[in-house]
Amino acid sequence: MSTTILLILLFAAVCHAIWNALSKRIEERDAFFTLILGASVILYVPLAIYLWRTSAFPLAAIKWMLLSTVSEVLYFVALAKAYQTNNLSYAYPILRGTAPIVTTVISTLFIGAAIAWTGFVGILVIVAGVVFMNQRSFSLRELSHLLKDWHNMKWVFMAGSFSACSSVLDGMGASMMSGLLFKYFVFIGMFLGKWILDRRAQSKVSYLDLAKRYPWHTLAGGLFVFVSNSLAVYAMQTTPVTYVASVREISIVFATIIGIVWLKEKVSVVKWVSIGLILAGVVIIKLS
């Protein structure tokens, strides 16, 4: 992985951590996510027009756009189901840890991506850090309860798997055209799909009222949520998808730092060690 790509992914991770931190202060978090997806589509219209006029748009890429959009919407469905039966802090690290593993399996078995053995080590170290992030101790027995609670945890693993599928599909699309333009069109589908899911759930939250109450949150969220996703797809144009998907998990580190500084959250020893593991995994991937 080049230094330039690593810096791009670090910036994308910071953006991801920022918009997630903004959403923590908003009670209607699910509706807020739909709102900032729509805000992104509007805010980045000028960029989309510029890329449309200056870069290629092969028809073959439409297939990957549609598949990525479907996978993203299914991710939302699985995520909603997961949070109905699991605590956020309990489920989220497992979800995030699942994605790099599934991405690696799909990339190596079905796409034939070549990954150095040191890259595999780096991915596993990152996954270990993510999985243990919110655990009380480094106990495998504690993690084994997740598998025993399969009835509730299956949606968490499914959400992580759909996230991984989206990454692989984004990588396929980015290999054919501008990664930023590809992700913009996927974002349009994500917004429409999420809006339909909100309507089916009979959400009574008014997006307009939400935007009026949180104007700066909406603007910042709309700006950062697209940057955090599109830059990752841009990186996939020159870097193996499995490396990109794994290094993106460093956003958890930045989110923790924001939580400490802004939200005054306390951090356990286990979490500090987990942060160290994630950073070590990123360094290993960089050197592989």
Side-chain angles (χ1 to χ4, degrees):
M1 178 180 290
S2 70
T3 300
T4 300
I5 291 298
L6 177 59
L7 291 175
I8 287 173
L9 290 176
L10 290 178
F11 178 69
V14 171
C15 292
H16 186 276
I18 290 174
W19 77 256
N20 270 278
L22 290 172
S23 68
K24 284 186 177 182
R25 292 293 183 91
I26 298 175
E27 185 177 348
E28 306 91 337
R29 187 180 303 169
D30 196 48
F32 178 71
F33 187 53
T34 306
L35 176 64
I36 62 175
L37 283 175
S40 288
V41 171
I42 296 172
L43 290 170
Y44 287 98
V45 165
L47 175 63
I49 293 175
Y50 170 76
L51 292 174
W52 176 270
R53 298 181 63 179
T54 58
S55 60
F57 186 90
L59 294 179
I62 295 178
K63 172 179 66 175
W64 302 114
M65 286 181 191
L66 294 175
L67 290 173
S68 179
T69 300
V70 170
S71 184
E72 292 278 14
V73 173
L74 290 175
Y75 164 78
F76 292 137
V77 173
L79 191 65
K81 293 282 189 180
Y83 288 164
Q84 285 177 4
T85 55
N86 297 280
N87 182 273
L88 175 63
S89 61
Y90 178 70
Y92 189 67
I94 306 303
L95 184 157
R96 295 295 297 266
T98 301
I101 294 176
V102 176
T103 301
T104 302
V105 171
I106 294 176
S107 298
T108 53
L109 295 183
F110 299 101
I111 301 179
I115 302 173
W117 70 268
T118 50
F120 278 113
V121 172
I123 292 168
L124 291 176
V125 171
I126 289 175
V127 170
V130 171
V131 169
F132 280 107
M133 178 64 71
N134 283 354
Q135 300 297 315
R136 291 169 296 181
S137 65
F138 290 103
S139 170
L140 294 178
R141 179 179 298 179
E142 188 173 349
L143 288 178
S144 67
H145 293 315
L146 301 177
L147 296 177
K148 294 178 181 178
D149 191 24
W150 177 252
H151 177 71
N152 291 326
M153 291 302 296
K154 63 182 179 182
W155 291 108
V156 178
F157 289 110
M158 287 180 66
S161 298
F162 283 128
S163 177
C165 289
S166 297
S167 295
V168 174
L169 294 167
D170 287 345
M172 298 298 292
S175 67
M176 308 176 75
M177 59 179 290
S178 164
L180 299 181
L181 184 60
F182 177 89
K183 197 61 182 182
Y184 179 81
F185 282 108
V186 172
F187 253 61
I188 294 176
M190 288 168 63
F191 167 68
L192 293 175
K194 186 65 169 60
W195 180 79
I196 291 172
L197 290 176
D198 287 354
R199 298 282 70 78
R200 288 177 61 87
Q202 298 181 339
S203 174
K204 297 180 180 179
V205 178
S206 168
Y207 303 120
L208 182 59
D209 289 343
L210 197 59
K212 288 180 178 179
R213 280 190 287 140
Y214 303 101
W216 293 110
H217 290 69
T218 301
L219 177 62
L223 289 170
F224 289 132
V225 71
F226 181 76
V227 169
S228 65
N229 283 268
S230 61
L231 288 184
V233 180
Y234 173 81
M236 293 174 189
Q237 293 179 284
T238 57
T239 307
V241 175
T242 186
Y243 287 173
V244 174
S246 300
V247 173
R248 288 182 70 186
E249 301 305 324
I250 201 172
S251 63
I252 296 177
V253 175
F254 293 121
T256 302
I257 294 173
I258 291 174
I260 296 171
V261 176
W262 185 33
L263 303 177
K264 309 302 180 183
E265 296 177 347
K266 294 183 179 180
V267 179
S268 65
V269 174
V270 174
K271 181 166 287 190
W272 280 120
V273 175
S274 297
I275 289 174
L277 287 172
I278 293 172
L279 294 175
V282 171
V283 172
I284 293 172
I285 289 176
K286 172 65 179 72
L287 298 177
S288 65

